[in-house]
Amino acid sequence: MKQKNSFIKRKVLLFTCMCIVSLGVFAQNITVRGTVTDANNEPIIGASVLVLKSNPPQGATTDEHGNYVLSNVAPNAILRISYVSMQTQEVAVKGNSTVNIVLKESDELLDEVVVVGYGVQKKASITGSVASIKGDELKTSGMANVSNTLAGRLPGVVATNRSGEPGADYSNIIIRGKGTLNNNSPLIVIDGVANRAGLERINPSDIESINVLKDASAAIYGAQAANGVILITTRRGTTGKPTITYNGAYTLSQFTRTPKLLNAYEYMTWADEIEVGNTGTANPRYANIKGGYLDGTINRKQYGDTDWMKATFRDFAPQTRHSISVNGGSENVKYYLSGDYFYQEPNYRNTVFNFQTTQLRSNIDAKINNYLTVNLDLAVRNEDRNNSIYGTGTMFWEAFNAYPFLYDYYPNGLPGPGLANGNNLAVLANGSDIGYDKVKDLFLDTKIGFDLKMPWITKGLSLSGYAAIDRRYRSEKKFWDTWDTYYYDTVNDDYVKQTTNMDGNMINLNQEASNDLSKTFNLKLNYEKTFGIHNIGAFVAYEQNQFDTDNFWAWRGYYMSSRPDYLDFGGEKDKTNGGNAFSSARQNLFGRFNYAYKNRYLAEFTLRHDGSMNFPKSKRWGTFPGLSVGWRMSEEKFIQEALPFANDLKLRASWGKLGNDRVDAFQYLNTFNMVNGAIYGEDPALHKGFKVGRTGNPDITWEKVDSKNIGLDAILWNGLLSFSGEYFYQKRNDILTKKQASIPDYTGLILPDQNIGEVSNKGFELSLNHTRSVNEIKYYIGGNFTYTKNTILFFDEAANVPDWQRRTGHSMDTWLYLKSDGIYQTQEEIDNSPHLPNTKPGDIKYVDIDDDKAITDNDRIRSSNGNIPRIVYGINMGITWKGFEASMLWTGQAQAYQMIVPYALNTQKEFYDNRWISAAETPNAKYPRAFDKEAGSNNNTRWSDFWLYDASFIRLKNVEIAYNLPKEWTKNLQIEALRVFLTGNNLFTIDKIKFQDPESSATSAGQYYPQSRTYTVGLTLSF
Amino acid sequence: MKTLKIKYIIAAITLGIFTSCNILDIDPKDSYTEKGIFSDLALTEAYLTKHYAFLKAGWGADWVYADQYSLRFVSDESMCNFNWQGYHNVNNGAMTPDQIGGINIWSDYYAKIKDINIFFNNLDVLQALDETSRNTLTGEAHFFRAFYYMSLVNMYGGVPLITKTLNLNDPDLMVPRNSYEECADFVVKEFQKAADLLPEKQTGENFGRATKGAALALKSRMLLYMASPLWNTTNDKAKWQQAATAAEEVMKLGYRLDNDYQGLFLNPRSSEIIFQRLYTQEFGTYFDWTNTPNGWGGYSATCVLQGMVDSYENEDGTMPNPANYATATSDPWKNRDPRLYASILCDGQTFRGDVVDFWENEDGKSGGRSSRFGNEGWNAAKTSYTLRKFMDESLKNAWSDKSKQPWVFCRLGEIYLNYAEAKYHLGDEATAREYVNKIRARARGGKAGILPDITETGDALLKRIQHERKIELAFEDHRFFDVRRWKIAEQTDNMPGKGIRVVRKPNGDKTYTIITVQPDRKFIVPNHYLLPIPRSEIQKNDKLIQNPGYK
């Protein structure tokens, strides 16, 4: 019936059109025929030949010889010939009856090749959700850690940088938000090898591309795919004259936010107010001292006024990077060689600490004969962390607890005492006297592979495979020296030297070494063939991985001096050592089948059979299918007619079942680990003992996600506008989580993960880009937007947990907190309302949610979401004119909340300046009375909405201005190209928190190493 | 030809890969199986003796270790110098099911009970071991289980009595609390089983492991608690009789009071010690430095309360008059029970070879090295009293000399006092006085004419027995339970905590002022007679009924 209707419609349309045509066109129409070929004179099958402005629409598709025929064509007609991954051409008929067309490969947009799991695909024929970025677009200058360059650049990727500490400044990367109650990190694949380390520290110049598989396209990675897959591909050699490229950059980095703490007078006032509040004393400790700061009578020999933030940290810390590469090759051998050196200092004042990486890479492809190609990839990376024995995070914690009235250095130059055991932060930050913690990591990644075409069996068949042997050697040497500090002896008016350290005041050395070996073998049988209008691609593969690690450590103390700092020279007493090992393995069988009909209807099916040693024998193997389909609407005549400006229009959908096995191994066993035991005996001695571990869960298996995705891609007006939008829905079940909410502690059980959780995660992504050239100006502007929302459908909950605290139905990562209702002004107010024990005027008032006339943990409520943003976005723009380039990236997050509770001895000035003092003086105080981490005043440090901050922000993430020197200037110097640039990262941020970086996950009001703002100057030179 | 070669290579590779098929069969490299452990004597011994390191020693305020806490901070003996330890929440009446203040042993000890239940699950495997070893080990297992349950019962009252290993899908996970009687009887029976199996003495490299005496001594403690007013509401004499009999059994075993009251806590071989936890210097504790005054670089962790100081009698047996502090110009603590000087550090006394200077100057901004204006003044004792009991004064290097003195869980002095109390309640006042006076005789430290024997009768005698217990067993983690089982905590723990301020005048005279350091000390009735069961446990299990008073 439907068919008939449309038939009639078409007839009517045709008739009308003919009338119009017959009115307007007098010339005799002709029949046009011809052949469409590619540059190699091979016929193109299935190319579309369209008569422009024909009415009714006229068009044809080339046959298996590349021929087409169009009858009744106006002699002045224009033909548009298009084919996937070829440049679309328009040709005037000019009365000719034979029009042959040679299509050129399109060099951009559609032709882009994208790395997918176990292969590459042309962007145009991709049916899954894959976000990709080229290495050149990453803007890594000044970024010490590659993971920090991804935010805002890839739709669907949520990258949050929680700290700027050198050597530990990574971004937490999750794909499409969180989908599981346990490990949410995506699988990292570097050059086809899964679980390789180095995403963060890889030489940024080596990165050819980063691609992210977000939906069923990841199913080819089976039991590790549920959280998405990040594929990093390094550069390879290209045929042609060798190019040597040098990149050099110098960067200054500073904290995005430095906490402003109280000075000595303010601190003493604050501490006295706390003491009075807690004990009611009329004679608090600093009552007779603090005034001395105001009238200048303070005993300067004893009392200083130290800003510990200033004494410990400096404004700018340097970092440099030099990398050089050679790229070239002949028909038979292609090579890419590179070296890279990176040096970074922490923001400690006058420090001896630093972080360095040195790396080399050699990617070589050799064509042995017409059938066989082999490749050898070698990468070596050395990471040297010259750290303090005292962790950076702890330095911040200490800076918040160090008394500002203590000197960093006395007026006579002697170092002050610090809070205890010589922990004067100025001495610790400098680090030259205190010992060290040197961590060396050597990564050795090798991969040898082959690709064999086997046309003697059948055309299009090939076999490829590789062996990847990755090693990592880690050694750590932690040497605690003793150092000198001085305290002021008030009785004798003298400075007394103390030689101490914070590890028992003993010079001691702990040395550790571990080495990892990861072996991956892969063998893959490929088949690719075109049968007329049918394109087929398929492979089956086998892969296995074995991982082994072992380590040992040794300790000696009682060193008589700090040199020589080797184990041999320590004391004989109490010397001790240890060591252990761990192994894991995986085995996988998988395959993919692609089919394209006329390059218009696309389908892909993947299947993976995975074995993971994390589970018991009977639960070890799983099968993970993925299916995706695409429809290239722009290949349809009626679309081409209706939307002639659409260069590409593709609708795609996918479904897949993926797994997540990222849990501790051996949870199916009851474990008993040997540990130190008890001490007994007439001559007491330490014996061995056992720690009873987890109760085994014999049923444990991987968690599963059912992933659905639908997307629309469009390239319009030859790229003036491109658009991509996706909607996804994932449902995870069998999530591995512990029943800790429902199994009582009195069972004594140490719980294993069980397949019990259920979570849905849905959202959408949009990206929109515009590029244009006007005369010599080229510019682009684009944006991407990601929204994700997860909901817990089932979670282990205690039977009697109040309804308003249940996690089921909420997002993961919510905050559980008391609801506040201002600040108590009077005792009477306290007495007349439910309150925490020992509440005093000036304390936060909490709401009795369950109405039981007492404030208890039952009154806590749940926030809508936590500090993983639901919304992330990026706005990216750039312009080039002659040799000038400028680009800018803004990133942001929204719908994220951070609990930030001041919890230290000292505090942020913000809380001091706006504290409650008395009902009369400060009736509208923003913050409660003076309080610290001690129990007497901890009613104010409860998690409550008083301290819950909206962590939304928008920040200028990256700005780069560059100038490419004109060729004619550089030619005489034998220089091919010279580019100089200025880059800034994290330049400024608009947010609501102010006193702490809004991207931080620190709940402690600034007690962490902040994110970095960097300024970089650099140049790129190639010759 | 060439292609043929390649084919062979491929065949070889393929074969190579698929023959290595069992790569997924990996065993953990750091773990033993249950059967493996219990079929081997050495491993079983290691499994079980580890529990000597789980019994919480009373060092407290040493936040490095989870295997210790301290009940002296939550009694009227002392306060912890550091608020963040959570003990203050207990002091201030803020102990709730949400915050139990650092003395919550619920989850910890139940996990240990599970370990012991696993042992009992393997009795058949243990048949392979020789009988003597098996008996000792089985006896120790009963001993540990009794110890854990006794600790739980004394704190929470009746608790779920779990005596078999549970697994994840057990239908019986949700159980109600057993009654106090059921639990306490279980503890008594377990100690008795242990006593029947354990040797009378452990020597050589086994010295320090539980003995028959240890099991009987702790049994005597359990029976005494069961007979006390908190639980024996009808004053059933039979219960007191059981307690007395149990104490008698211990006294038959040859333990003797140590003449050196202060020294016995530093001497693991003391004839008085019945059960203790041993240490070495290498694996020692930081007890000494956390409790040493700040003048020596310590943290003054135990701030002894004024009320405790004033509980020590004058040498003549009278009680000191607090009003005397106001008029004294030097050493107001002179001529007191010698145990004061063995247990508490006051201004002007000698410690670690130097004089303790808790005093301040009149200007209110300078003072002695151990005052709040002295060395690391923020660590000064808030009450100007610190602990001397248990301290090893031979240690000189702050923080590098670790403490290795034993923690004494049980000694003969306690048994005498247990016996005296039980005998009193059985109406045998003469025997009660006799045993208290034995304690007082030792307390004199050879100094004749001080601390006269007690002669009281009736209620007054009971007060003397209780008082003697407070002094003799001070800071040994007894007071917390004693004031509860006697039902006097609502008086003793319900008054502001006091300390002293010592001010030195330019002429060297000192003034002594009683100050309030913890104005909010509260004991809420009936709540705080028992600890709250953690809220999360109540939420998990409908059948668990919370202790009285808690919301």
Side-chain angles (χ1 to χ4, degrees), chain B residues 75-289:
Chain B
S75 72
D76 59 353
E77 295 171 330
S78 66
M79 64 177 270
C80 180
N81 205 19
F82 303 101
N83 270 342
W84 64 75
Q85 291 274 304
Y87 295 117
H88 285 219
N89 286 328
V90 184
N91 298 158
N92 293 345
M95 180 166 69
T96 67
D98 306 318
Q99 51 181 27
I100 309 181
I103 55 170
N104 175 18
I105 56 169
W106 181 275
S107 308
D108 199 7
Y109 273 8
Y110 265 118
K112 305 302 186 279
I113 288 167
K114 175 212 58 186
D115 292 3
I116 300 299
N117 288 339
I118 289 176
F119 172 89
F120 283 114
N121 238 8
N122 286 280
L123 285 179
D124 49 336
V125 184
L126 292 168
Q127 294 308 317
L129 311 181
D130 72 276
E131 201 188 331
T132 321
S133 310
R134 199 170 66 227
N135 281 348
T136 305
L137 291 169
T138 312
E140 281 176 312
H142 284 297
F143 177 83
F144 290 128
R145 193 156 67 174
F147 190 101
Y148 297 135
Y149 270 116
M150 180 174 75
S151 308
L152 287 167
V153 167
N154 290 342
M155 286 198 159
Y156 300 94
V159 295
L161 207 46
I162 314 284
T163 53
K164 58 166 196 166
T165 53
L166 299 164
N167 58 50
L168 294 171
N169 304 316
D170 217 302
D172 306 329
L173 286 184
M174 300 303 164
V175 294
R177 299 170 63 176
N178 289 71
S179 70
Y180 174 81
E181 279 70 27
E182 283 166 348
C183 295
D185 284 345
F186 176 78
V187 169
V188 170
K189 283 199 189 104
E190 284 285 282
F191 275 132
Q192 189 55 55
K193 281 183 196 165
D196 294 343
L197 290 164
L198 289 170
E200 249 182 60
K201 254 198 161 69
Q202 285 281 24
T203 55
E205 58 182 20
N206 290 318
F207 177 79
R209 290 171 68 169
T211 56
K212 185 186 191 74
L216 292 175
L218 291 169
K219 186 182 108 176
S220 127
R221 186 188 294 175
M222 188 71 239
L223 286 167
L224 181 78
Y225 285 17
M226 289 164 75
S228 299
L230 182 64
W231 296 112
N232 185 10
T233 46
T234 59
N235 197 20
D236 178 355
K237 298 283 180 204
K239 291 187 174 176
W240 290 112
Q241 185 56 57
Q242 285 180 0
T245 311
E248 277 164 8
E249 275 187 77
V250 181
M251 292 189 287
K252 279 183 218 153
L253 293 172
Y255 299 101
R256 279 175 291 108
L257 287 187
D258 192 322
N259 287 331
D260 184 356
Y261 175 75
Q262 190 179 346
L264 83 90
F265 299 101
L266 302 176
N267 175 17
R269 312 292 292 277
S270 167
S271 61
E272 184 169 346
I273 296 175
I274 300 175
F275 185 57
Q276 60 189 329
R277 179 169 167 189
L278 295 168
Y279 293 89
T280 64
Q281 169 123 34
E282 182 181 3
F283 300 98
T285 69
Y286 287 107
F287 169 76
D288 275 284
W289 299 107

Side-chain angles (χ1 to χ4, degrees), chain A residues 504 542 583 681 745 800 852, chain B residues 17 29 173 207 400 537 542 551:
Chain A
Y542 170 83
S583 294
D745 288 3
N800 306 323
D852 68 347
Chain B
I17 287 172
K29 294 184 171 170
L173 286 184
F207 177 79
S400 54
E537 288 288 275
D542 274 324
K551 272 188 183 168

Side-chain angles (χ1 to χ4, degrees), chain A residues 394-667:
Chain A
T394 326
M395 292 288 280
F396 268 86
W397 187 88
E398 284 282 347
F400 268 83
N401 287 286
Y403 300 116
F405 58 77
L406 294 177
Y407 273 109
D408 49 352
Y409 293 97
Y410 290 108
N412 63 9
L414 294 175
L419 198 54
N421 292 95
N423 64 347
N424 176 339
L425 289 174
V427 175
L428 294 175
N430 166 283
S432 50
D433 296 326
I434 65 169
Y436 50 80
D437 180 16
K438 288 184 179 163
V439 186
K440 288 183 195 300
D441 281 287
L442 179 67
F443 296 86
L444 194 61
D445 291 355
T446 62
K447 182 183 168 193
I448 182 158
F450 73 94
D451 184 53
L452 176 70
K453 293 193 176 66
M454 300 189 291
W456 62 82
I457 297 174
T458 174
K459 216 177 162 189
L461 188 70
S462 67
L463 182 73
S464 62
Y466 67 78
I469 312 290
D470 295 350
R471 278 192 170 276
R472 176 189 188 176
Y473 300 92
R474 184 186 181 89
S475 69
E476 180 171 4
K477 198 171 167 186
K478 192 168 188 178
F479 187 73
W480 283 87
D481 204 346
T482 52
W483 59 92
D484 298 339
T485 52
Y486 293 79
Y487 71 87
Y488 177 71
D489 179 349
T490 48
V491 180
N492 300 316
D493 182 24
D494 192 12
Y495 293 104
V496 182
K497 182 162 96 174
Q498 284 179 305
T499 302
T500 55
N501 69 24
M502 285 164 292
D503 200 34
N505 300 339
M506 177 208 287
I507 304 179
N508 67 81
L509 173 65
N510 192 74
Q511 216 166 327
E512 285 187 57
S514 67
N515 77 75
D516 303 351
L517 170 63
S518 175
K519 295 178 289 190
T520 310
F521 301 111
N522 171 295
L523 195 65
K524 181 174 138 201
L525 190 66
N526 272 297
Y527 181 67
E528 245 172 273
K529 186 100 198 245
T530 304
F531 300 98
I533 49 181
H534 309 281
N535 279 327
I536 285 173
F539 78 77
V540 288
Y542 170 83
E543 192 175 290
Q544 71 172 48
N545 173 271
Q546 284 167 286
F547 175 84
D548 294 282
T549 178
D550 65 67
N551 71 73
F552 75 88
W553 59 269
W555 181 94
R556 283 214 199 187
Y558 308 98
Y559 280 74
M560 287 183 288
S561 78
S562 58
R563 290 284 176 275
D565 49 351
Y566 298 97
L567 281 173
D568 274 359
F569 306 97
E572 295 302 316
K573 204 175 142 193
D574 303 349
K575 59 189 185 184
T576 167
N577 53 52
N580 57 49
F582 173 78
S583 294
S584 71
R586 320 180 155 273
Q587 238 174 341
N588 327 293
L589 271 168
F590 50 98
R592 175 160 60 211
F593 179 76
N594 290 316
Y595 172 72
Y597 176 75
K598 289 184 172 174
N599 282 313
R600 195 180 297 170
Y601 307 108
L602 313 163
E604 179 177 302
F605 178 68
T606 60
L607 194 65
R608 175 145 170 156
H609 191 56
D610 253 14
S612 165
M613 57 83 74
N614 288 348
F615 308 119
K617 236 171 176 173
S618 59
K619 307 277 181 181
R620 199 166 269 172
W621 287 88
T623 304
F624 303 92
L627 177 68
S628 59
V629 292
W631 176 31
R632 297 200 58 221
M633 296 156 73
S634 49
E635 294 296 300
E636 300 284 359
K637 243 175 275 170
F638 68 93
I639 297 280
Q640 288 170 344
E641 195 52 39
L643 308 167
F645 52 84
N647 309 73
D648 186 48
L649 203 56
K650 182 170 64 181
L651 192 61
R652 54 190 164 75
S654 72
W655 167 84
K657 201 141 197 153
L658 298 77
N660 186 11
D661 71 350
R662 314 203 137 203
V663 289
D664 293 346
F666 305 121
Q667 295 199 59

Side-chain angles (χ1 to χ4, degrees), chain A residues 137-163:
Chain A
E137 296 161 13
L138 265 183
K139 306 288 179 200
T140 53
S141 305
M143 287 294 208
N145 188 320
V146 172
S147 72
N148 289 335
T149 61
L150 302 180
R153 302 225 182 248
L154 293 160
V157 174
V158 182
T160 32
N161 171 229
R162 302 301 199 189
S163 162

Side-chain angles (χ1 to χ4, degrees), chain A residues 283 419 452 489 504-505 542 583 620 672-673 676 681-682 740-741 745-746 800 838 840 852 857 934-935, chain B residues 17 25 29-30 32 50 83 98 107 173 204 207 398 400 501 520 522 537-542 551:
Chain A
N283 182 19
L419 198 54
L452 176 70
D489 179 349
N505 300 339
Y542 170 83
S583 294
R620 199 166 269 172
F672 296 83
N673 302 99
N676 280 350
E682 278 172 13
Q740 58 201 9
D745 288 3
Y746 61 69
N800 306 323
N838 303 313
K840 297 200 163 74
D852 68 347
D857 281 2
E934 302 216 356
Chain B
I17 287 172
D25 293 336
K29 294 184 171 170
D30 61 341
Y32 290 73
K50 168 78 182 168
N83 270 342
D98 306 318
S107 308
L173 286 184
F207 177 79
S400 54
R501 176 147 298 151
D520 297 321
K522 275 190 213 91
E537 288 288 275
I538 301 282
Q539 286 186 343
K540 288 169 186 172
N541 181 357
D542 274 324
K551 272 188 183 168

